[in-house]
Amino acid sequence: MQRQNWAERLGIPRPLAWGYAGVLVFMVGDGVESGFLAPYLVDQGLSAQRVAMLFTVYGVTVAVAAWFSGPLSDLWGPRRVMAAGLAAWAVFQVLMLSVAVPSLNYPLLLASYGLRGIGYPLFAYGFLVWIAATAPQRRLGTAVGWFWFAFTGGLPTLGSLLASFLVPRIGAYATLWLSLGLVAAGGLTALLLVREPTGRSRLAPAGERPLATLLDSLTLLWRNPRIGVGAIVRTVNTAPQFGFLVFLPAFFTDTVGLSLSQWLRLLSVMFAVNIVFNLLFGVLGDRFGWRRTVAWFGGVGCTVTSLLLYYVPTALGGQYALCLLVAGLFGATLAGYVPLSALMPTLAPQHKGQAMAALNLGAGASTFVGPAIVALFLGPLGAQGVIWIFAAAYALSAVLALTLRTPVHNATPAVGSLSGPATASLGDGTPRHDTAPATSDS
């Protein structure tokens, strides 16, 4: 019997190990700006509403690119999609920093920062498709848990921590330039050192039409209502997170009384806890059930902790230890949604690539839905009202997640993209690894 190496023992697919490292470094570079870009642009003279709109435009681009990452990975192969993401990020970051930011040209800022949103979804979610195409089904929850460990380890955890040290020393503008080097280093690490052959070629069957693949990945949202519901749950997962990055910096610095460095470190703590629980909930989901983990630990948990994130600092003032505690609790429950990345392909076993595209569309949509809610409601309702909107969304996602019962059948690998070992589902999104026939109770 072949001995497993350290990566396989941890649940990381061995051929993709360098890809996880590359995603981590890439997302550190992408996440450097997350805690200070909004207040930096306000300090430069942009209004808070214009900054929120900038983040909303960026989020729309992210959503479109996230949707395309699945079908394009089917058609081109994940590696080429990742390379396209790296190139787009670098080109538009240079344009933004060399021209748009110094001149504070708002239309150019919208264009350059918005189009830079193509970059990280193609790179990161392309790699997520690569994982779904190659990881053993019995360890898929753990494998995607490691992906989200790397993803949130960079955006915004280590990125914000790095910014908390760099911005006071070299300034915000120079820190934004430094992020370009980190993104390039992470991207090249993944592209040059991952030699796994599946991701180097198209995943879709020969002869499949590109336009049909793209359209099918969208129509699957209503052809298979569970896929549509799963995409909504994924949108709710991180929409508040991206909304928080627009207005919580001002809330914690102006209302609560923290310094910018304290806020950035609080953000780092929030997502340092998150990356640990990404792994724990990935493993727990493989045992407890993917659907139940998402509903109870993700949906219900975030409903409670998002409210605590506002009311504990408001009631107790700037007691930094308590602020860190509630931030960590929110980060932990946010990880409860991790098994959704394993659950979604099982909801459409014959269209796994399209299901991953729907998942990525939900992830991308969250980057503009959150800032858009802030832009619309922060003025009339204030921070408290926005928090309640996000808490209500989390509660709704818990209810929706409980409907995501998977087809219970003796599955065989789908012909075409993202095929995998034969498994039978237990109906809760947890794979049963046998070949006995099963009947659906869903």
Side-chain angles (χ1 to χ4, degrees):
M1 183 176 179
Q2 187 176 6
R3 294 181 60 186
Q4 292 182 320
N5 76 338
W6 64 269
E8 292 167 327
R9 287 195 294 270
L10 291 173
I12 298 173
R14 180 178 181 179
L16 301 180
W18 279 111
Y20 286 89
V23 167
L24 173 62
V25 177
F26 185 104
M27 298 311 298
V28 169
D30 188 83
V32 160
E33 70 190 31
S34 58
F36 74 86
L37 183 60
Y40 169 70
L41 292 175
V42 170
D43 289 344
Q44 298 304 301
L46 291 183
S47 68
Q49 288 75 20
R50 280 196 157 196
V51 171
M53 181 56 65
L54 179 69
F55 278 60
T56 302
V57 170
Y58 173 82
V60 171
T61 308
V62 168
V64 173
W67 168 44
F68 272 73
S69 65
L72 289 180
S73 293
D74 272 356
L75 295 167
W76 297 349
R79 187 177 183 275
R80 287 181 64 187
V81 174
M82 294 170 68
L86 172 61
W89 203 102
V91 167
F92 291 111
Q93 178 78 346
V94 169
L95 177 61
M96 182 181 79
L97 295 182
S98 60
V99 182
V101 170
S103 64
L104 213 63
N105 184 318
Y106 188 65
L108 185 58
L109 195 58
L110 280 173
S112 57
Y113 186 64
L115 290 173
R116 205 202 75 187
I118 296 169
Y120 94 72
L122 293 184
F123 183 85
Y125 299 144
F127 186 65
L128 182 59
V129 174
W130 202 340
I131 294 169
T134 58
Q137 184 81 0
R138 69 185 184 279
R139 302 296 299 277
L140 184 55
T142 305
V144 299
W146 277 108
F147 168 82
W148 291 113
F149 177 95
F151 186 98
T152 57
L155 173 68
T157 313
L158 294 177
S160 295
L161 182 63
L162 184 62
S164 73
F165 292 104
L166 290 178
V167 172
R169 290 165 175 79
I170 66 174
Y173 184 68
T175 301
L176 291 171
W177 274 109
L178 184 105
S179 67
L180 176 62
L182 290 168
V183 165
L188 293 175
T189 296
L191 294 173
L192 298 179
L193 298 182
V194 175
R195 305 297 177 86
E196 198 282 325
T198 303
R200 291 174 172 263
S201 57
R202 64 181 282 147
L203 303 176
E208 188 164 311
R209 294 175 299 169
L211 182 59
T213 299
L214 291 172
L215 292 177
D216 285 349
S217 68
L218 187 61
T219 60
L220 186 65
L221 294 172
W222 56 84
R223 286 190 287 115
N224 185 335
R226 291 172 182 171
I227 293 295
V229 170
I232 293 172
V233 173
R234 180 61 186 88
T235 301
V236 173
N237 174 197
T238 47
Q241 171 189 327
F242 289 103
F244 287 164
L245 295 177
V246 177
F247 80 97
L248 282 191
F251 169 73
F252 274 100
T253 55
D254 298 339
T255 303
V256 178
L258 303 185
S259 67
L260 178 61
S261 292
Q262 284 179 315
W263 152 249
L264 290 171
R265 287 167 191 160
L266 180 145
L267 195 62
S268 296
V269 167
M270 179 188 295
F271 288 97
V273 174
N274 176 255
I275 63 174
V276 173
F277 277 84
N278 282 341
L279 297 180
L280 294 178
F281 282 126
V283 174
L284 179 65
D286 286 340
R287 291 162 172 76
F288 179 62
W290 298 334
R291 177 175 60 92
R292 288 194 294 265
T293 301
V294 171
W296 294 109
F297 292 98
V300 175
C302 284
T303 301
V304 174
T305 58
S306 60
L307 293 172
L308 292 177
L309 191 61
Y310 175 82
Y311 282 105
V312 169
T314 301
L316 302 177
Q319 296 189 35
Y320 195 51
L322 290 175
C323 293
L324 292 174
L325 175 61
V326 294
L329 289 173
F330 176 75
T333 55
L334 193 64
Y337 288 89
V338 158
L340 191 62
S341 298
L343 175 59
M344 283 286 278
T346 70
L347 297 175
Q350 303 302 318
H351 302 94
K352 292 185 177 181
Q354 295 172 18
M356 291 301 293
L359 176 77
N360 294 342
L361 177 62
S366 70
T367 64
F368 76 83
V369 169
I373 289 172
V374 174
L376 290 172
F377 296 106
L378 185 62
L381 300 182
Q384 184 178 22
V386 173
I387 285 288
W388 274 101
I389 291 173
F390 287 146
Y394 277 131
L396 175 62
S397 78
V399 175
L400 293 177
L402 290 173
T403 70
L404 298 179
R405 298 188 67 85
T406 60
V408 183
H409 61 285
N410 183 33
T412 56
V415 177
S417 65
L418 301 184
S419 60
T423 64
S425 167
L426 294 177
D428 187 61
T430 306
R432 179 176 65 210
H433 306 282
D434 55 32
T435 56
T439 58
S440 174
D441 62 355
S442 58

